[in-house]
Amino acid sequence: MADQPDLTELRQTIEAIDSELLALLARRLEVVVPIAEAKLEAASPFRDSLREGIVFSRVRDLARGHGLDPHRAEALYRLLLEWSVARQQEHVRQRETAPLRVAYQGVEGSYTHLAARERYAGRPGGTLLSGLATFRDVAEAVRQREADVGLMPIENTTAGSITATYDLLAEGGLSITAEVVSHIQHCLLALPGATVEGLREVHSHPQALGQCERFFIDHPWVRPVEAFDTAGAARMLADRGDPSVGAIASEEAAGRYGMDILARHIQTQEGNYTRFVEVATEPVVFDCDGPCKTTVMLELSHEPGALARVLSAFARHRVDLSKLESRPIVGKPFSYRFHVDLAGHRASKEVSAALAEAEVECAELRVLGCYPAATVG
């Protein structure tokens, strides 16, 4: 009779393998800590959906090679990924110097993500970026203290104002603490091997589509389709796999999502700039050593000539208005509030006097922020 397997020895073998597995897991969790530090230094989000997809694909292939169920292996690694992210977040909470938590709309490779990375990379203490689905999500993250600041686009030199940002500022609870101006250069992206002639649709954020109006005039067979985000449209191409669909996004988005660039600089105007505002729950305090800007929101009294008198107050005190934007007031048909950008610090003699005089003509006047003015170029 053949020797029977020794159950005790088999269990000891399993225990030894388990010990090795746990030791390897511990080593893996040690490595994710310096990865977290590198992400904070570079102002990169902790979650990278593209990288995660590559990892899961590699895990499935390796599992097949070892004769394992690839789907069960992927499920195991999804749990391990959540463990790794939790370890990184725990490390961040334990740091003596807390990173700045920045919320922005879109996914990695979007223009707001690129502007945030440029502004916050290399910051002492690091930066933790979080890409959210909508502008409202960004505003609420800041209001609820889930993010320290948010970065949102507010106007573009080609397509004009981003009205959603103005409306969120009007709701209250947010102060403009800084501004960033970025030169936006759009690329036409498509799947590898696709051609401009073969495209039938091009997806992107409505602002990007508007900034590339000339492209659609010159290519009438291509239909513009709105998407929630420029880089999100590029990611959609990778998932969809349709060579007749393109996207307008950044060059970085092309590389990140494996797309070909069919054309560069397709924006209608070469001098295409987007102004972003940083928002927080509290105003910033700073010394006015250079150019400053003050943004106010005002609702006029219902009297003839009220707007003219407000504008005259700024003119008398020699305060330059760089922007005047009107937005409808919800619940008051055909009534409007105005957002005004003023050149100068709110505490300066000229601006403070102009605001005091203008306030007499207003049902409401609220300072939305005073901050250093960004330079263009």
Side-chain angles (χ1 to χ4, degrees):
M1 183 174 178
D3 292 339
Q4 294 295 317
D6 188 318
L7 185 57
T8 301
E9 289 184 3
L10 292 175
R11 285 175 174 169
Q12 289 175 345
T13 301
I14 288 290
E15 290 173 359
I17 294 173
D18 287 342
S19 179
E20 292 177 14
L21 286 173
L22 290 171
L24 289 172
L25 284 173
R27 284 181 54 195
R28 193 182 196 281
L29 290 173
E30 288 177 1
V31 174
V32 303
V33 171
I35 289 177
E37 288 292 336
K39 288 179 177 179
L40 293 174
E41 174 67 21
S44 294
F46 272 13
R47 301 301 295 259
D48 184 338
S49 58
L50 182 63
R51 168 67 181 166
E52 291 173 11
I54 293 172
V55 169
F56 295 143
S57 177
R58 177 176 58 81
V59 165
R60 290 193 297 270
D61 290 340
L62 288 172
R64 292 187 189 97
H66 289 287
L68 300 174
D69 183 334
H71 300 293
R72 290 181 181 274
E74 180 180 344
L76 177 62
Y77 266 78
R78 286 188 180 277
L79 289 174
L80 182 56
L81 174 67
E82 296 299 328
W83 193 358
S84 297
V85 171
R87 178 69 186 90
Q88 291 179 326
Q89 293 171 339
E90 179 187 9
H91 169 71
V92 169
R93 288 192 295 269
Q94 293 175 348
R95 294 168 94 242
E96 292 184 2
T97 305
L100 183 71
R101 300 171 301 166
V102 180
Y104 67 93
Q105 187 273 331
V107 300
E108 289 188 72
S110 67
Y111 293 105
T112 312
H113 166 245
L114 298 180
R117 190 177 65 185
E118 180 178 356
R119 172 168 174 77
Y120 301 110
R123 174 186 173 276
T127 303
L128 181 58
L129 291 185
S130 297
L132 304 177
T134 67
F135 295 147
R136 177 165 294 280
D137 290 339
V138 173
E140 288 303 316
V142 176
R143 290 184 180 123
Q144 299 301 320
R145 306 297 203 276
E146 296 169 0
D148 300 308
V149 299
L151 194 68
M152 298 189 291
I154 196 166
E155 64 176 313
N156 174 265
T157 54
T158 303
S161 299
I162 291 87
T163 56
T165 300
Y166 282 102
D167 293 342
L168 288 166
L169 288 168
E171 292 178 4
L174 298 174
S175 292
I176 301 175
T177 53
E179 66 175 2
V180 178
V181 176
S182 294
H183 189 197
I184 305 299
Q185 302 192 59
H186 291 300
C187 296
L188 177 65
L189 314 185
L191 290 172
T195 64
V196 176
E197 292 72 23
L199 295 179
R200 293 297 174 265
E201 295 179 358
V202 168
H203 296 232
S204 196
H205 189 278
Q207 277 281 325
L209 296 174
Q211 293 164 29
C212 300
E213 183 180 12
R214 172 55 58 185
F215 169 83
F216 293 103
I217 294 174
D218 294 340
H219 303 82
W221 64 89
V222 179
R223 182 170 68 94
V225 178
E226 293 186 358
F228 85 97
D229 178 44
T230 54
R235 186 171 67 180
M236 177 274 297
L237 290 187
D239 296 336
R240 196 160 157 180
D242 187 345
S244 71
V245 179
I248 293 174
S250 66
E251 183 172 350
E252 175 153 330
R256 172 167 288 276
Y257 301 110
M259 296 294 106
D260 277 357
I261 298 177
L262 302 187
R264 286 180 167 82
H265 311 312
I266 65 169
Q267 64 274 6
T268 301
Q269 296 183 17
E270 174 56 31
N272 184 42
Y273 293 88
T274 293
R275 175 181 168 230
F276 301 87
V277 289
E278 177 191 88
V279 296
T281 56
E282 300 294 335
V284 66
V285 178
F286 66 100
D287 295 328
C288 187
D289 293 332
C292 303
K293 187 177 289 186
T294 300
T295 297
V296 300
M297 186 197 74
L298 52 90
E299 183 179 338
L300 298 174
S301 303
H302 292 287
E303 297 177 6
L307 178 58
R309 290 193 293 274
V310 167
L311 297 179
S312 295
F314 294 127
R316 274 193 297 276
H317 293 281
R318 304 184 64 81
V319 175
D320 180 34
L321 277 63
S322 59
K323 182 71 184 292
L324 178 63
E325 177 75 22
S326 66
R327 294 295 301 148
I329 301 174
V330 177
K332 296 182 179 181
F334 305 109
S335 295
Y336 297 85
R337 64 170 55 92
F338 296 87
H339 296 257
V340 186
D341 287 341
L342 312 173
H345 197 287
R346 64 176 297 181
S348 68
K349 178 182 177 181
E350 296 79 10
V351 173
S352 59
L355 291 176
E357 188 172 328
E359 190 171 14
V360 177
E361 305 293 340
C362 298
E364 179 186 9
L365 188 152
R366 191 193 328 157
V367 176
L368 296 178
C370 178
Y371 45 93
T375 58
V376 178

